[in-house]
Amino acid sequence: MRAARLIRMVLLLQARVSMTAAELARELGVSERTVTRDAQALSEAGVPVYADRGRSGGYRLVGGYRTGLTGLARGEAEALFLSGVPGALRDMGLEDTASAARLKVSAALTPSLRGASRTAAQRFHLDAPNWFHEPSTPALLAPVADAVWDDRRITARYRRGAGSGTGSGEVERLLEPYGLVLKAGVWYLCARADTGAYRVYRIDRFSAVDAREERFARDPEFDLPGFWAERAAQFTRALLHGSVVVRLSTDGVRRLRHAVGPAAAEEALAETGEPDAEGWVTVTVPVESDEVAYSQILALGPEAEVLGPPRLRERFAEATRRAARHYR
């Protein structure tokens, strides 16, 4: 208790330059005599607390003394306040906690840096959901987030998707919740299953979550950003079941990434041969299906020619004939 009070006393003197014993006693909830003893203890510990005598006297820190926290530059302080994403914190039930933390950091900053939270908020706002999608907060996000923060195992009932490969329906799982990811407005839980494997679960598919009393020992080697990046890449590649052979112009090559996605484009262009006499190249593009490929490659317009499979080439030929009739 006393250690926390001494730290708070230093922060108060940093924030307000000089305070009387009565003011400190009121802020700290102690007597003026205790303030005197605390000031003496800080001085003996090397914190330069100086007492001005007289009616207008009080306590102050000598020589612009600051704690290590106030070594932040303005850009660093603004970046610190950007680290809290208001919408995500609110969804997880952590808005009040984050607000209290920001107040404590503000109190410890030098006067020239105390506007960092305001200037950062004026210059940056994260809008996580995709366009044309109404964001919604999963009903069970808050208890899942509590379990993540507290390292508590959960028993969860989970609705599997139709494309999961193991059939649809609801299953019960004992999970060790390691981390939360907000991707394009959708919340995911990265957790270790009772088999020892790490898996990803959409939180809006949980129908029930029960936090257990026992805590789990977190693997110190687990890297949430790295794990998510690896699984996201695996998921994207797993969707690409087919392929299309396409002839591309120079402009078509440049636009391919935006038409079919980065992963498919990188895989296709990695095997690009020499350009033909017209400067076009032939590539094999991994695709999810003929239907998806049709809509994606159609966006390339005259900068792409589909060579195969024959059924898809004929579909593009028919689309081209219909477009030509419109523009005759």
Side-chain angles (χ1 to χ4, degrees):
M1 289 289 292
R2 190 187 186 198
R5 189 175 71 242
L6 292 175
I7 293 172
R8 190 178 176 199
M9 183 175 179
V10 174
L11 294 178
L12 285 169
L13 293 175
Q14 285 183 186
R16 306 189 192 181
V17 183
S18 177
M19 297 180 69
T20 66
E23 290 172 334
L24 283 168
R26 186 167 55 252
E27 288 283 350
L28 299 173
V30 296
S31 67
E32 293 185 33
R33 184 180 296 275
T34 299
V35 168
T36 302
R37 288 198 297 266
D38 285 352
Q40 180 64 32
L42 287 170
S43 181
E44 292 173 357
V47 179
V49 178
Y50 179 76
D52 290 316
R53 306 298 179 185
R55 295 187 61 182
S56 59
Y59 292 94
R60 61 186 174 86
L61 295 173
V62 179
Y65 174 85
R66 317 297 299 176
T67 63
L69 178 60
T70 56
L72 293 171
R74 170 165 288 277
E76 293 169 332
E78 290 174 347
L80 173 63
F81 283 103
L82 289 180
S83 65
V85 183
L89 291 170
R90 182 175 57 251
D91 290 349
M92 291 187 290
L94 297 174
E95 188 173 28
D96 291 343
T97 303
S99 177
R102 285 192 292 269
L103 286 173
K104 290 178 180 179
V105 173
S106 295
L109 294 175
T110 61
S112 64
L113 296 180
R114 283 184 201 136
S117 62
R118 180 178 56 82
T119 57
Q122 289 173 338
R123 289 164 174 78
F124 180 83
H125 171 68
L126 176 64
D127 184 8
N130 277 331
W131 287 103
F132 315 118
H133 286 78
E134 189 66 29
S136 61
T137 302
L140 296 174
L141 175 60
V144 171
D146 286 344
V148 169
W149 288 114
D150 212 21
D151 290 343
R152 290 189 182 275
R153 289 186 175 89
I154 61 173
T155 301
R157 294 198 62 79
Y158 186 74
R159 296 186 299 273
R160 293 185 296 202
S164 64
T166 55
S168 59
E170 195 169 76
V171 295
E172 186 170 282
R173 293 284 185 264
L174 175 62
L175 303 174
E176 295 178 352
Y178 265 66
L180 295 168
V181 175
L182 176 60
K183 170 68 173 178
V186 180
W187 284 95
Y188 296 88
L189 172 68
C190 300
R192 183 162 59 185
D194 50 9
T195 60
Y198 292 97
R199 302 187 183 280
V200 176
Y201 302 87
R202 278 186 60 143
I203 294 181
D204 59 6
R205 289 184 182 165
F206 284 127
S207 60
V209 172
D210 179 32
R212 303 165 72 98
E213 287 299 319
E214 70 268 19
R215 289 182 169 86
F216 63 90
R218 182 176 288 267
D219 181 359
E221 300 299 319
F222 180 78
D223 173 30
L224 179 59
F227 171 77
W228 177 259
E230 180 183 347
R231 287 306 173 90
Q234 291 174 358
F235 174 76
T236 301
R237 186 62 187 88
L239 293 175
L240 307 177
H241 302 293
S243 62
V244 176
V245 180
V246 184
R247 185 168 169 263
L248 298 170
S249 69
T250 301
D251 192 42
V253 169
R254 180 179 60 81
R255 292 165 50 189
L256 183 65
R257 177 184 180 91
H258 303 287
V260 302
E266 289 172 11
E267 185 173 329
L269 297 177
E271 303 296 330
T272 302
E274 292 295 321
D276 60 20
E278 297 179 354
W280 288 47
V281 296
T282 299
V283 298
T284 300
V285 183
V287 295
E288 185 175 345
S289 64
D290 282 3
E291 192 63 36
V292 172
Y294 177 75
S295 62
Q296 289 177 330
I297 298 175
L298 195 63
L300 296 174
E303 307 306 322
E305 177 190 0
V306 174
L307 302 180
R311 61 184 180 279
L312 190 60
R313 178 178 172 85
E314 178 53 36
R315 186 173 179 183
F316 271 89
E318 175 58 24
T320 302
R321 290 191 289 268
R322 289 168 54 198
R325 287 196 295 270
H326 293 321
Y327 291 101
R328 274 189 298 199

